[in-house]
Amino acid sequence: MIAPSILSADFARLGEQVQTVLDAGARLIHVDVMDGHFVPPITMGPIVVSALREQVHGAGAMLEVHLMVERPERHVEAFAEAGADRILAQVESTPNLHYAIDAIRRRGVAAGVVINPARPWRRWARSSTTSSSCSA
């Protein structure tokens, strides 16, 4: 599935540009969340997800949130409440990946794991079996 990322959007025209990709057939809008610690720079938060929720869900599409933040399990609740349909946790962002996956699932949201293919597979193999998706 192709998931257009809003990270490259013109934020002054965000709603318009999301509508353009939805009209073109996109069924998944990808939101890259960066905290400035795990990876630079600081990007968007739950407020952006909440602002897009009605538009994306109204088009029959999903909001996917990629948490590239330290300890993603601490941020799951805010993004789930904002309207995320799937939350992806970066393997290297937490010492206990299963905590993040469990937190996502407890909120009734689809869970996913994002891996860096250059990392040893043992770090992510066990947790990826409990998630609904795995991205590289």
Side-chain angles (χ1 to χ4, degrees):
M1 178 180 295
I2 295 174
S5 174
I6 65 170
L7 187 58
S8 60
D10 174 351
F11 286 102
R13 300 175 44 225
L14 182 59
E16 176 188 333
Q17 291 187 338
V18 166
Q19 192 61 51
T20 298
V21 297
L22 289 170
D23 290 345
R27 289 295 161 248
L28 183 68
I29 301 298
H30 185 86
V31 181
D32 287 301
V33 178
M34 298 180 259
D35 64 1
H37 295 283
F38 180 65
V39 293
I42 297 171
T43 60
M44 58 210 85
I47 292 170
V48 173
V49 173
S50 181
L52 293 174
R53 174 181 52 213
E54 197 172 302
Q55 179 183 14
V56 173
H57 290 166
M62 296 172 39
L63 279 164
E64 175 180 79
V65 175
H66 177 188
L67 294 178
M68 290 183 278
V69 300
E70 289 180 5
R71 304 301 298 264
E73 58 274 16
R74 296 177 180 169
H75 304 279
V76 167
E77 184 173 353
F79 284 97
E81 287 178 3
D85 298 295
R86 180 178 359 196
I87 298 176
L88 309 176
Q90 190 79 30
V91 169
E92 301 88 357
S93 66
T94 181
N96 299 298
L97 184 60
H98 63 283
Y99 290 168
I101 299 301
D102 289 344
I104 295 166
R105 287 180 175 254
R106 279 195 311 272
R107 296 295 301 179
V109 177
V113 174
V114 180
I115 62 167
N116 176 342
R119 299 279 185 199
W121 66 271
R122 285 181 180 87
R123 172 82 170 101
W124 55 266
R126 182 177 44 228
S127 295
S128 66
T129 62
T130 62
S131 67
S132 61
S133 68
C134 186
S135 301

